[in-house]
Amino acid sequence: MVDKSFDNAKRAAADQSCVVPFYLTGEVASQSKPLIRGRLARLFSPAASILDRHAYPNNVSEVCAEMMGLAACLSTTLKFEGVFTVQAKGDGAVKTLFADVTSDGHIRSYAAFDDQQVAQLNESGSAVLPRLMGAGHVAFTIDQAAPSGGFAHRYQGIVELEGPHLGHCAVTWFKNSEQLAANVITVAQKTASGWQSAALFLQQIAEEGGQDSLKWSAASLEDEWHTAMVLMSSAQKAELLDATLRPDELLFRLFHANGLHIQPFRPMSDHCRCSAEKVESMLQSLSPEQRIDMSDETGHLVVNCEFCKTTRSYHSQDF
Ligand SMILES: [Zn+2]
């Protein structure tokens, strides 16, 4: 099933770091109503440059890369200007995992962790969420931008940190908030050109009311969902992360018999929102005592951006 937006997505997919939204109408060709929505996120250069700057241990980089893939995937739920944030807090070696994505596809991420505890885990095997983060919670936040600047509305869902991967927390969030079945897989790997990650998300679409001759029975919807789950689980890590395989080709390979409709892609880029103006206005808002507390003995004050590592230097007397 190919429509116009499929061609657009195909052309634009030359940039491999993007999110491709799509939907499935099911195996019956005459059916045109979307039954399942999906998104495929793949991050090559943004994951590589962000994690190269951070230079975290491999097990931390891996969960950070998966977090970015997940955030990119879910960020396309934004129907307005704003920011989508996923933040996990735990009591294990990794204390914080953070990624946010703007409606323009600007992505950022960082992790906070205990060096010694993480080094001990390095020796004992691969990165698994509960071993790295312990107990805690994950917050999914949507901040809608106000026309005048700043944020007008905040929507937030919080779930317990559980399951072997971050995706399990997202599935719980969708079940709690929308009562709809969802599934997501996240993968990440380090290559010669750096870290890369991908996420594939599928969700049942809520049945609308009214008399629809094409309205599906609960049983056939369940069948379609089951088929989609089987196809989703057949996706190999190697193909999800294969930069030579275009995202639309990958989706076609997986879902071509299930009424695949590909929608316009959204490019993703490594882009920080910090600026000298924002830092200066933050410093301006502090009391002189607070600025002196942040300064060294000569009055110099340094502000580092934890996302892009930009260092900005001031003197407490500048304000
Ligand atoms: Zn920055």
Side-chain angles (χ1 to χ4, degrees):
M1 195 73 51
V2 175
D3 58 23
K4 266 187 202 160
S5 57
F6 181 87
D7 289 330
N8 292 341
K10 224 161 123 178
R11 268 197 299 277
D15 176 2
Q16 290 285 313
S17 293
C18 61
V19 179
V20 183
F22 61 94
Y23 62 88
L24 307 176
T25 55
E27 286 175 299
V28 179
S30 59
Q31 161 71 15
S32 60
K33 201 168 130 189
L35 297 175
I36 293 166
R37 77 165 60 89
R39 291 165 205 122
L40 170 66
R42 296 165 103 199
L43 300 173
F44 296 103
S45 57
S49 56
I50 288 169
L51 291 169
D52 182 52
R53 257 191 331 261
H54 286 312
Y56 297 145
N58 282 339
N59 50 8
V60 176
S61 290
E62 184 173 3
V63 283
C64 217
E66 287 190 37
M67 176 72 119
M68 280 190 265
L70 181 67
C73 216
L74 302 182
S75 73
T76 55
T77 52
L78 286 178
K79 298 284 184 283
F80 40 73
E81 292 285 296
V83 182
F84 180 82
T85 306
V86 187
Q87 178 163 223
K89 291 269 187 192
D91 61 6
V94 177
K95 313 293 178 201
T96 303
L97 264 186
F98 180 104
D100 72 6
V101 187
T102 69
S103 39
D104 295 324
H106 296 163
I107 189 162
R108 313 185 298 181
S109 185
Y110 80 88
F113 54 92
D114 182 296
D115 291 311
Q116 286 186 346
Q117 287 181 33
V118 164
Q120 282 161 7
L121 287 172
N122 254 340
E123 291 157 20
S124 58
S126 64
V128 180
L129 192 65
R131 291 223 326 259
L132 278 178
M133 295 205 71
H137 66 268
V138 185
F140 299 89
T141 310
I142 297 168
D143 284 305
Q144 184 174 1
S148 53
F151 294 106
H153 296 288
R154 164 167 279 205
Y155 313 89
Q156 192 171 57
I158 297 176
V159 297
E160 261 181 60
L161 197 51
E162 57 175 12
H165 292 280
L166 283 163
H168 289 83
C169 304
V171 169
T172 307
W173 173 51
F174 274 99
K175 271 187 195 143
N176 292 350
S177 62
E178 300 186 39
Q179 310 287 316
L180 292 169
N183 200 12
V184 62
I185 47 177
T186 56
V187 289
Q189 71 182 9
K190 191 181 189 180
T191 68
S193 47
W195 279 94
Q196 45 185 227
S197 73
L200 178 61
F201 170 81
L202 288 180
Q203 184 188 30
Q204 281 184 354
I205 291 176
E207 185 76 21
E208 284 164 19
Q211 295 299 312
D212 187 339
S213 59
L214 290 172
K215 199 164 176 174
W216 283 57
S217 70
S220 52
L221 263 175
E222 228 15 81
D223 278 352
E224 289 293 341
W225 179 248
H226 178 73
T227 306
M229 287 300 97
V230 171
L231 294 169
M232 185 184 198
S233 65
S234 76
Q236 301 295 309
K237 179 176 177 177
E239 60 184 348
L240 287 166
L241 293 168
D242 181 355
T244 66
L245 179 65
R246 287 202 320 257
D248 52 297
E249 289 173 331
L250 172 55
L251 289 173
F252 191 77
R253 188 184 279 184
L254 290 170
F255 302 115
H256 64 93
N258 302 78
L260 171 66
H261 293 256
I262 294 180
Q263 298 171 293
F265 85 116
R266 296 190 181 206
M268 291 283 141
S269 58
D270 166 16
H271 188 105
C272 190
R273 301 198 298 282
C274 72
S275 69
E277 293 71 33
K278 282 184 192 167
V279 172
E280 283 156 26
S281 89
M282 179 275 290
L283 291 171
Q284 205 75 257
S285 71
L286 300 176
S287 68
E289 292 73 28
Q290 284 172 312
R291 284 194 294 267
I292 287 166
D293 281 347
M294 288 173 70
S295 310
D296 66 13
E297 55 281 7
T298 62
H300 287 97
L301 192 161
V302 172
V303 180
N304 288 311
C305 175
E306 56 192 331
F307 292 104
C308 67
K309 306 287 179 197
T310 301
T311 297
R312 295 182 172 91
S313 303
Y314 303 93
H315 195 277
S316 55
Q317 286 174 351
D318 293 344
F319 299 92

